[in-house]
């Protein structure tokens, strides 16, 4: 890349080629008004280095709002789950565009983002009742960081101001789980419920709500005691949508225990009777859990049903998703390897499992240490010395 320098009056100017544009045509950039040729050469060298590093972005009046709504949301729609895309679109429309939408994309700075985050924390609620939670603002920051990173790939930005900004930190909320006895009490309470097999799946597999609702008979192998998670039913734009699992690892096969297999078999027989009773009104979705006429169940209905069952059973407060956490903590406490638990839950990797359920690990570490030592040293060698009676010391020991 070469620059063409010229002096006009007392000022220096430079022209340069900056490579083809999106349409394949030649693009030129000119800069001027420099007091000396050396200043013009320095400006040319900066652009040349940006071109070589792939960070050059031609000057543009594109605003942040225009970029997010007219470019980024359209570009990422196919790669996001429907619910995730709706969340991003809502955050952009409700929070980002009103505050920063008119700011030129190339004039966005970390300082402006910091001020934006502070305002969201103080006054971000749309009902005027205070600010958004740090967790929500952190999520908006992550969305902007990703969107502006993509803007660099698209050639709109030379750097990512969100990567230089600091998002508000937040503490992970304390995880609420039920003990094995409480899980058993819940299942005993719902054993005559029409959807007992669904409740059993929540408890014995740790499947997500949308995965249970989206489970198809085609993905259930009762003789082989297996089921495959291939899809989920979620709500997007107020409508039910069939979605891919949350992560690639979410597409998985889960082994089933005999009790769950038997319950699914009984549920299938009940559903066949409902199909016959419905006749031509039956809506064939192929799903395992439906309304009596075959209609798809909205996932949030399980929230309502679970809350009612929990209250009637006299059990502590818990969300439906808490059954998933309860399954995981029970499995880990029972000695099931974290890798196996991770695969059953559909986590992206075992590191996610270890991070989410780190509160269970300290007690498991103690138990593992005792088991290994017992195998190597025997029961007597691993006895707790604090359980032994104190022995008398020599009267003169302190004088020695």
């Amino acid at each position: 890349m070469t620059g063409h320098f010229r002096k006009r009056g007392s000022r220096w100017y430079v022209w340069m080629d900056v490579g083809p544009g999106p349409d394949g045509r030649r693009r030129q950039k000119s800069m001027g008004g420099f007091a000396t040729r050396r200043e013009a050469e320095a400006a040319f060298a900066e652009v040349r280095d940006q071109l070589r590093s792939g960070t050059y972005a031609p000057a543009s009046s594109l605003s942040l709002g225009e970029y997010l709504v007219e470019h980024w949301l359209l570009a990422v729609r196919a790669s996001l789950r429907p619910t995730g895309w709706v969340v991003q679109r809502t955050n952009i429309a409700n929070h980002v565009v009103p505050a920063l939408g008119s700011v030129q994309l190339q004039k966005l700075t970390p300082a402006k983002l910091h001020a934006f985050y502070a305002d969201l924390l103080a006054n971000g609620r749309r009902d005027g009742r205070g600010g958004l939670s740090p967790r929500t603002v952190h999520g908006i920051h992550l969305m902007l960081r990703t969107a502006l990173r993509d803007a660099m790939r698209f050639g709109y930005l030379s750097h990512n101001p969100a990567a230089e900004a600091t998002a508000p930190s937040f503490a992970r909320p304390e995880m609420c789980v039920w003990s094995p006895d409480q899980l058993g009490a819940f299942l005993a309470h719902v054993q005559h419920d029409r959807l007992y097999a669904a409740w059993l799946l929540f408890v014995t597999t740790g499947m997500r709500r949308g995965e249970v609702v989206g489970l198809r008979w085609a993905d259930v192998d009762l003789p082989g005691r297996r089921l495959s998670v291939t899809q989920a039913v979620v709500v997007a734009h107020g409508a039910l949508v069939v979605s891919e699992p949350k992560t690639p690892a979410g597409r998985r096969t889960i082994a089933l225990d005999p009790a769950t297999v038997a319950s699914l078999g009984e549920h299938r027989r009940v559903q066949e009777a409902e199909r016959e009773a419905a006749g031509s009104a039956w809506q064939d979705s192929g799903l395992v859990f439906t309304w009596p006429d075959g209609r798809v169940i909205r996932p949030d209905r399980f929230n309502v049903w679970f809350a009612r069952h929990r209250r009637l059973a006299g059990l502590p407060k818990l969300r439906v998703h808490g059954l998933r956490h309860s399954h995981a903590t029970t499995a880990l406490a029972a000695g099931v390897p974290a890798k196996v638990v991770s695969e059953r839950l559909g986590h992206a990797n075992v590191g996610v499992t270890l991070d989410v359920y780190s509160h269970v690990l300290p007690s498991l570490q103690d138990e593992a240490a005792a088991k290994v030592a017992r195998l190597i040293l025997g029961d007597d060698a691993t006895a707790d010395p604090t359980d032994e009676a104190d022995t008398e010391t020599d009267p003169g020991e302190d004088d020695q």
Side-chain angles (χ1 to χ4, degrees), residues 26-236:
R26 177 188 182 190
R27 291 185 304 175
Q28 280 193 318
K29 176 180 177 64
S30 62
M31 297 182 294
F34 301 105
T36 64
R37 180 182 175 107
R38 178 171 294 181
E39 290 180 2
E41 290 174 343
F44 164 75
E46 182 178 355
V47 174
R48 180 192 60 200
D49 292 343
Q50 290 175 351
L51 286 168
R52 289 175 176 174
S53 63
T55 60
Y56 172 74
S60 170
S61 60
L62 183 71
S63 71
L64 176 63
E66 290 170 338
Y67 165 68
L68 291 174
V69 175
E70 300 175 13
H71 299 268
W72 187 72
L73 278 175
L74 298 178
V76 300
R77 183 165 192 171
S79 62
L80 293 177
R81 299 174 75 239
T83 50
W85 188 82
V86 170
V87 168
Q88 306 294 33
R89 187 192 66 172
T90 301
N91 282 334
I92 288 171
N94 291 347
H95 303 298
V96 180
V97 169
L100 298 174
S102 62
V103 175
Q104 284 190 18
L105 184 62
Q106 293 183 347
K107 293 185 178 179
L108 186 64
T109 64
K112 290 179 180 178
L113 290 175
H114 285 154
F116 170 55
Y117 299 153
D119 185 62
L120 289 181
L121 290 170
N123 310 294
R125 285 175 60 105
R126 298 192 72 204
D127 59 9
R129 297 182 179 177
L132 299 178
S133 70
R135 184 187 184 97
T136 300
V137 179
H138 189 90
I140 293 174
H141 164 76
L142 293 181
M143 179 270 294
L144 284 173
R145 190 175 69 181
T146 300
L148 298 179
R149 180 195 65 199
D150 290 339
M152 292 179 62
R153 292 195 301 109
F154 300 154
Y156 296 127
L157 284 177
S158 61
H159 70 287
N160 184 349
E164 302 165 5
T166 302
S169 59
F170 65 93
R172 188 188 297 274
E174 183 177 352
M175 184 179 296
C176 295
V177 298
W178 280 349
S179 68
D181 288 342
Q182 290 169 327
L183 292 171
F186 172 75
L187 291 176
H189 175 78
V190 297
Q191 63 180 325
H192 300 300
D193 188 81
R194 176 179 168 272
L195 296 175
Y196 174 67
W199 299 121
L200 204 55
L201 279 182
F202 279 117
V203 172
T204 62
T205 69
M207 290 172 65
R208 299 178 177 93
R209 184 187 62 181
E211 294 171 344
V212 171
V213 175
L215 182 65
R216 303 177 300 178
W217 283 117
D219 296 322
V220 179
D221 178 10
L222 292 180
R225 296 181 180 177
R226 296 283 190 279
L227 66 78
S228 297
V229 178
T230 62
Q231 64 178 28
V233 171
V234 298
V235 178

Side-chain angles (χ1 to χ4, degrees), residues 279-338:
S280 61
W282 177 263
Q283 299 184 25
D284 192 3
S285 62
L287 298 177
V288 175
F289 304 109
T290 64
W291 290 101
D293 61 358
R295 284 179 296 131
V296 181
I297 299 174
R298 286 179 64 94
D300 48 14
R301 288 302 305 171
F302 276 95
N303 295 11
V304 178
W305 294 332
F306 178 70
R308 183 169 66 242
H309 285 309
R310 179 198 62 75
R311 287 194 302 269
L312 292 175
L315 291 166
K317 285 187 177 182
L318 194 74
R319 297 182 304 145
V320 173
H321 198 71
L323 295 177
R324 174 175 168 86
H325 293 320
S326 299
H327 168 83
T329 55
T330 299
L332 289 169
V336 178

